[in-house]
Amino acid sequence: MQQINIIDAKNHVDEKVKIGAWLTNKRSSGKIAFLQLRDGTEFFQGVVVKSKVSEETFELAKELKQETSMWLTGIIHEDSRSKFGYELEVETIEVIGESHDYPITPKEHGVDYLMDHRHLWLRSSRPHATMVIRNELIRATYEFYNQEGFIKIDAPILTGSAPEGTTDLFHTEYFGRDAYLSQSGQLYEEAGAMAFNKVFSFGPTFRAEKSKTRRHLIEFWMIEPEMAFMHQEESLEIQERYIAFLVQNVIDHCEGALNTLGRDIETLKKYTKLPYPRISYDEAIELLKANDFDVEWGVDFGSPEETFLADYFDQPVFVLNYPKAIKPFYMKPHPTREDVVICADLLAPEGYGEIIGGSERATDYNYLKDQIVAAGLNPEEYSWYLDLRKYGSVPHSGFGLGLERAVTWITGEDHVREAIPFPRLLNRIYP
Ligand code: 4AD
Ligand code: MG
């Protein structure tokens, strides 16, 4: 008898199999017990018919408690009534680990309660579906960049540099010296691009941001591609192809998870249509003013502005060339305007806001050094970074996708905390 995972049930119809599973829920009458089972790969139903099993097995089935783990044997049947399409006609049950008073019951629980039990909550179908989609985004990311000729260059997590400003740095001590947890791998990816042409990183990044919004995590994962000999226009084309590829792969490979989450696939299909609209920051300000937003040129956009802009186009939208004063030091200055830089944020529709931030990078040694000083940073800490402009500087561009923002948008969840297994939030480092 073969031991299988639930997800492979379709390949074993009418066969006798062995499955290790936990009980998620149960319903029974005098003659039949329905066991809702999960093994981590999928959820399905086991049916225990009194007349077909031993008396002990039927009595045991009726007594099982939520999250009891067990070995089951039985025959896989097609079950057109269930969402999954298959079920197990149970023959034997052997309890492995008992479970009593499982804290997460089928009734509704508050968010804080669930987050306190995140280590258990991950077993439930909604977080499970969200993590399956997160995994698909990671898988598809590697596929995309591999097929586009990128190589993965890992950036360090302990660093002395602060590419995204000093206000939200996580400080730590490094054998008597100051160090920070990485805010972004970008500067190291720039060095990587000069060595390998097209590179990307994927790793955890940290922002001690005192913002308590549904878009901010303290620890989040970022995908950061960086391309040598590339101007911003070409980088935008890679960005939109990448996002459309992610959405398409989720549609193709995660139908069950999307259904569990109630995410409408037709809505997602809209986001595979390219190109995405592009508007300048200047145009965005005009559009917002014309729609009664109280904004002046020079401000950064908050959530209401970003939501309006992407909803206006009903597509992810690139907002180009923000004011220099509100963007980091490394962005390329505009060739004819002093007040803006060559950059773009990609805003996701349906209220999800910025999912990508990127730019062309400044290439001139003296300009960049001045910017580093103007940002209040110590140029000595950045002398390795300035070397990249000293020895064969080339036009180059890159961007960063916040994985959890992308997961939240694609799954349709309402808070970024749902998009990471163990979220780190302003008031949460447990579990
Ligand atoms: O716009 P950001 O700060 O850009 C950078 O870090 C660049 N160095 C990236 C690059 O060009 N290589 O962050 C990039 C993305 C944002 O668009 C957003 O999706 C995500 O990272 N992000 C966050 N996600 C969750 N929680 C936070 N606190 C985030 N801050 C940024
Ligand atoms: Mg940004």
Side-chain angles (χ1 to χ4, degrees):
M1 187 176 19
Q2 202 177 338
Q3 186 182 325
I4 69 159
N5 285 130
I6 296 176
I7 199 165
D8 298 321
K10 59 180 177 301
N11 303 322
H12 298 276
V13 175
D14 296 333
E15 282 176 30
K16 186 165 171 172
V17 298
K18 178 177 179 182
I19 291 179
W22 292 267
L23 185 80
T24 67
N25 205 349
K26 183 192 65 187
R27 200 154 53 79
S28 59
S29 69
K31 293 185 178 141
I32 193 160
F34 297 101
L35 310 180
Q36 303 310 319
L37 303 169
R38 60 169 199 92
D39 72 345
T41 69
E42 260 299 353
F43 298 74
F44 84 159
Q45 173 168 276
V47 184
V48 193
V49 181
K50 189 174 181 193
S51 60
K52 291 194 180 170
V53 297
S54 71
E55 201 167 324
E56 301 84 75
T57 300
F58 193 71
E59 285 310 307
L60 177 61
K62 286 204 310 190
E63 294 309 310
L64 290 170
K65 300 281 186 297
Q66 192 183 353
E67 289 304 309
T68 298
S69 56
M70 56 203 148
W71 292 114
L72 301 120
T73 66
I75 298 178
I76 302 282
H77 293 301
E78 281 193 57
D79 170 27
S80 54
R81 287 155 307 172
S82 81
K83 211 174 60 182
F84 181 63
Y86 304 90
E87 65 178 19
L88 183 74
E89 183 192 333
V90 177
E91 293 185 353
T92 67
I93 302 170
E94 179 194 334
V95 170
I96 305 169
E98 288 184 10
S99 167
H100 298 281
D101 306 318
Y102 186 65
I104 302 177
T105 58
K107 70 163 200 200
E108 293 262 317
H109 297 283
V111 169
D112 275 336
Y113 181 86
L114 288 171
M115 277 296 166
D116 285 341
H117 295 87
R118 184 64 167 172
H119 51 297
L120 302 176
W121 186 26
L122 280 174
R123 303 177 183 194
S124 303
S125 59
R126 251 193 113 80
H128 190 274
T130 306
M131 291 308 129
V132 165
I133 290 174
R134 177 191 170 97
N135 178 65
E136 178 59 20
L137 294 191
I138 295 168
R139 191 205 63 74
T141 291
Y142 282 88
E143 183 182 333
F144 182 83
Y145 289 108
N146 277 311
Q147 96 197 359
E148 299 268 334
F150 285 64
I151 92 158
K152 182 165 184 275
I153 292 293
D154 300 311
I157 291 169
L158 287 166
T159 175
S161 59
E164 304 302 320
T166 51
T167 50
D168 59 14
L169 279 176
F170 257 108
H171 181 259
T172 182
E173 200 226 69
Y174 195 78
F175 307 112
R177 301 176 51 178
D178 283 330
Y180 313 104
L181 297 183
S182 175
Q183 293 174 311
S184 155
Q186 179 195 319
L187 307 189
Y188 297 97
E189 295 313 297
E190 290 184 55
M194 302 307 141
F196 301 93
N197 195 296
K198 286 189 283 192
V199 297
F200 74 108
S201 64
F202 172 50
T205 46
F206 305 85
R207 308 262 171 110
E209 277 176 296
K210 296 255 156 59
S211 13
K212 215 171 156 185
T213 78
R214 35 190 210 101
R215 299 174 178 180
H216 286 89
L217 290 165
I218 303 298
E219 177 179 312
F220 65 98
W221 287 67
M222 193 157 36
I223 292 129
E224 296 188 87
E226 193 72 31
M227 299 78 70
F229 304 101
M230 193 178 285
H231 294 290
Q232 171 75 343
E233 298 73 48
E234 218 185 320
S235 170
L236 295 185
E237 286 168 22
I238 292 180
Q239 292 173 44
E240 62 188 359
R241 277 196 289 113
Y242 170 44
I243 298 300
F245 186 83
L246 293 182
V247 174
Q248 189 62 55
N249 273 275
V250 170
I251 293 171
D252 292 345
H253 301 137
C254 304
E255 201 189 333
L258 290 171
N259 285 337
T260 298
L261 295 166
R263 186 63 159 135
D264 177 39
I265 293 181
E266 293 309 313
T267 305
L268 288 179
K269 280 186 184 159
K270 287 193 296 198
Y271 309 143
T272 63
K273 303 229 163 51
L274 297 183
Y276 294 153
R278 291 147 166 75
I279 59 167
S280 67
Y281 173 87
D282 298 357
E283 289 165 334
I285 289 285
E286 290 312 313
L287 190 58
L288 288 163
K289 278 185 174 165
N291 287 276
D292 301 329
F293 280 85
D294 184 20
V295 288
E296 288 305 323
W297 197 96
V299 299
D300 207 353
F301 297 141
S303 167
E305 289 82 18
E306 291 185 349
T307 298
F308 172 81
L309 291 169
D311 282 349
Y312 185 84
F313 294 97
D314 199 22
Q315 276 266 297
V317 54
F318 287 112
V319 179
L320 313 187
N321 303 349
Y322 283 72
K324 181 173 166 178
I326 56 170
K327 287 294 180 189
F329 66 83
Y330 51 72
M331 293 188 175
K332 187 177 175 65
H334 192 280
T336 60
R337 281 178 62 179
E338 291 231 319
D339 54 348
V340 298
V341 283
I342 304 296
C343 68
D345 282 357
L346 182 65
L347 311 181
E350 303 174 73
Y352 290 95
E354 178 196 334
I355 52 170
I356 289 183
S359 78
E360 190 159 337
R361 318 306 191 189
T363 49
D364 182 72
Y365 181 93
N366 291 319
Y367 173 85
L368 191 56
K369 189 167 181 184
D370 289 347
Q371 294 305 306
I372 288 171
V373 173
L377 302 169
N378 175 5
E380 271 166 38
E381 288 288 347
Y382 296 82
S383 102
W384 67 269
Y385 182 62
L386 285 163
D387 273 354
L388 307 175
R389 276 68 177 174
K390 214 156 125 189
Y391 305 108
S393 188
V394 300
H396 62 290
S397 304
F399 59 94
L401 170 77
L403 176 66
E404 291 78 15
R405 295 257 185 107
V407 171
T408 310
W409 167 52
I410 291 174
T411 57
E413 286 286 22
D414 60 10
H415 197 296
V416 71
R417 68 179 165 231
E418 316 288 345
I420 186 162
F422 296 98
R424 296 298 173 239
L425 300 162
L426 204 51
N427 55 0
R428 177 170 296 284
I429 196 170
Y430 176 92

